[in-house]
Amino acid sequence: MNYNMTFLMLGSVLNGIVKKEISDKKVLKNIKKTYKDIVCRASDIGNKNVLLGAYGLAAYFIAMNRCDDLSPEQNCNIMESGLRKSKVYKMTMGSADSYFSQKHMEARRKWSQETYERKYKNDWLVDVIEKNDDCDFGLDYHECGVCKLCKDEGCFEYAKYLCRLDFMTSDIMGIKLKRTKTLAEGAEKCDFRFSRF
């Protein structure tokens, strides 16, 4: 994967977030270098992929676990706490109004179709679930780039921690997320169902 400006900026933001909990400058420097190394050897998912940030976040989480002495649980808690407090992250994620907009729904449908073209080995494979009695819309992920990256890096067990961050992100945006299964836990798909509070 090309270590482009998106990954550089994301790494800087995440470094700023975790340095409040990980104060050892040598460890932070190692995390940053390891993150860059992981991104550079990661299979390409395309520079315009809507989940490029999630892919980078996964690379950073893997780097944290390789460079500090904390458990994946502790690192997940650090990441979640920092992201909840980050104004930049909140601004980037947007609000429920934007997330449920017709413009975003049309883009999701197009993206879903593009995932079936299988241009990139580590891309997601997703179906959009239209509004029904259960949700305002949903996403069924049949393949997950985060799971693939963790598997490629020999640490598939980290994927389940990254899945937990989906609930935090939805909460920040003012969205209710219901999910009963994930690929990271061995299910055949991740069943995201989103509704307004």
Side-chain angles (χ1 to χ4, degrees):
M1 189 87 208
N2 183 20
Y3 188 73
N4 60 24
M5 187 59 72
T6 300
F7 287 117
L8 178 65
M9 298 281 291
L10 179 62
S12 294
V13 168
L14 293 172
N15 242 35
I17 285 170
V18 304
K19 75 178 182 183
K20 293 170 182 156
E21 296 290 330
I22 303 172
S23 58
D24 186 323
K25 290 182 182 179
K26 186 177 179 184
V27 171
L28 286 170
K29 186 176 178 180
N30 286 338
I31 291 172
K32 193 172 183 178
K33 182 191 179 309
T34 303
Y35 162 72
K36 182 177 180 182
D37 292 345
I38 292 168
V39 169
C40 288
R41 71 175 166 257
S43 293
D44 196 356
I45 62 167
N47 287 330
K48 294 185 179 179
N49 193 303
V50 297
L51 291 174
L52 197 63
Y55 203 60
L57 183 70
Y60 195 90
F61 185 73
I62 294 167
M64 285 176 71
N65 283 285
R66 289 192 175 152
C67 296
D68 65 26
D69 292 329
L70 303 174
S71 69
E73 179 74 29
Q74 290 170 307
N75 281 323
C76 185
N77 290 338
I78 288 169
M79 187 72 72
E80 180 175 351
S81 175
L83 290 171
R84 279 191 184 278
K85 295 173 189 171
S86 171
K87 291 178 183 176
V88 173
Y89 187 71
K90 289 177 186 176
M91 182 180 69
T92 303
M93 294 316 301
S95 66
D97 287 339
S98 67
Y99 200 67
F100 288 105
S101 72
Q102 188 58 37
K103 178 182 170 184
H104 275 96
M105 286 305 298
E106 289 169 15
R108 281 185 197 98
R109 289 182 195 105
K110 182 180 177 199
W111 174 56
S112 172
Q113 291 172 349
E114 289 171 356
T115 67
Y116 277 89
E117 294 172 14
R118 297 184 179 272
K119 289 181 184 175
Y120 302 101
K121 174 183 161 253
N122 272 17
D123 201 355
W124 284 254
L125 183 65
V126 62
D127 289 321
V128 174
I129 308 302
E130 299 295 333
K131 184 173 182 171
N132 57 50
D133 292 339
D134 192 37
C135 64
D136 288 315
F137 86 92
L139 298 169
D140 279 349
Y141 289 97
H142 303 284
E143 295 179 15
C144 169
V146 167
C147 287
K148 292 175 184 181
L149 179 61
C150 289
K151 188 173 183 178
D152 289 348
E153 288 291 319
C155 56
F156 184 75
E157 67 276 11
Y158 293 164
K160 66 182 178 184
Y161 295 97
L162 292 157
C163 292
R164 287 181 14 197
L165 299 177
D166 295 328
F167 289 96
M168 176 269 307
T169 300
S170 296
D171 187 51
I172 284 173
M173 296 171 68
I175 297 169
K176 179 183 175 186
L177 168 60
K178 179 182 173 186
R179 187 178 62 203
T180 65
K181 53 191 169 185
T182 65
L183 293 162
E185 296 171 315
E188 76 284 0
K189 66 180 178 180
C190 304
D191 60 342
F192 286 72
R193 298 297 180 265
F194 299 101
S195 304
R196 292 178 182 268
F197 278 114

